[in-house]
């Protein structure tokens, strides 16, 4: 937990830095529920006062640009979209959820994306969705 506290205090040079801290908190919280609440409050306060206080929109915009790109994505970019979708949902789970429409828009975008890249979706999604409730929401929207 001290590692997460240090990351929060360090601040965020790039939006990716927030993603890293959010993932650390989210996955650590599964093992230690008691410390979770105080750290999450510190995290939210640090994001709100950062240069990236609109991290949900920043992440969605980046994901959306990749998804709706006119060119075919590389496999690494496909995986990046999956990661960005996870990040959006982790932000939301941690309480950075002022804009509910971002979740709805990201759900629509990821369903479109999974259909567009069906050749990769089947293999990656089945191994990637384990223990992530937001993927269950997508499975209900799209038959993967």
């Amino acid at each position: 937990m001290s590692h997460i506290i240090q990351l929060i205090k360090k601040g965020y040079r790039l939006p990716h830095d927030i993603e890293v801290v959010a993932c650390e908190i989210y996955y650590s919280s599964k093992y230690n529920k008691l410390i979770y609440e105080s750290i999450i409050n510190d995290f939210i306060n640090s994001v709100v006062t950062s240069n990236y206080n609109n991290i949900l929109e920043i992440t969605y915009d980046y994901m959306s640009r990749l998804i709706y790109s006119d060119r075919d994505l590389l496999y690494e970019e496909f995986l990046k979209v999956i990661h960005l979708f996870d990040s959006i949902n982790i932000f939301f789970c941690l309480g950075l959820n002022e804009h509910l429409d971002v979740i709805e828009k990201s759900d629509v975008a990821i369903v479109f994306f999974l259909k567009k890249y069906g050749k990769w979706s089947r293999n990656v999604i089945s191994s990637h969705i384990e223990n992530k409730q937001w993927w269950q929401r997508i499975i209900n929207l799209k038959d993967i």
Side-chain angles (χ1 to χ4, degrees):
M1 287 298 151
S2 63
H3 170 70
I4 294 172
I5 293 168
Q6 288 174 342
L7 289 173
I8 292 170
K9 287 181 180 179
K10 183 178 169 185
Y12 314 109
R13 286 181 328 135
L14 300 169
H16 176 73
D17 297 338
I18 297 173
E19 285 183 72
V20 169
V21 176
C23 285
E24 292 269 344
I25 293 170
Y26 180 78
Y27 292 112
S28 295
S29 71
K30 293 182 179 250
Y31 303 106
N32 193 340
K33 299 277 183 196
L34 298 176
I35 298 175
Y36 173 72
E37 196 170 316
S38 65
I39 288 180
I40 193 64
N41 289 333
D42 290 345
F43 171 70
I44 290 171
N45 290 333
S46 72
V47 172
V48 168
T49 58
S50 77
N51 291 334
Y52 307 108
N53 56 8
N54 61 338
I55 189 64
L56 267 170
E57 289 83 12
I58 291 169
T59 308
Y60 172 77
D61 288 344
Y62 182 30
M63 183 184 81
S64 181
R65 282 193 311 270
L66 288 170
I67 287 174
Y68 296 114
S69 171
D70 289 338
R71 64 179 179 80
D72 284 337
L73 298 182
L74 301 172
Y75 185 69
E76 291 78 15
E77 293 169 312
F78 171 84
L79 294 176
K80 181 64 178 178
V81 169
I82 300 297
H83 169 76
L84 292 168
F85 182 72
D86 282 344
S87 292
I88 288 168
N89 284 280
I90 288 171
F91 293 148
F92 189 80
C93 289
L94 294 179
L96 294 172
N97 54 9
E98 291 180 17
H99 304 286
L100 295 175
D101 65 323
V102 172
I103 292 296
E104 294 169 2
K105 291 189 306 187
S106 67
D107 284 1
V108 169
I110 203 71
V111 168
F112 169 81
F113 179 73
L114 294 174
K115 288 179 181 177
K116 182 177 178 182
Y117 290 95
K119 62 184 175 190
W120 294 330
S121 297
R122 288 177 207 90
N123 296 333
V124 172
I125 299 305
S126 62
S127 65
H128 194 76
I129 65 174
E130 191 175 332
N131 299 320
K132 295 177 182 172
Q133 69 268 18
W134 50 89
W135 283 107
Q136 297 308 312
R137 193 175 66 235
I138 298 306
I139 288 171
N140 291 335
L141 293 174
K142 176 199 177 290
D143 188 34
I144 297 179

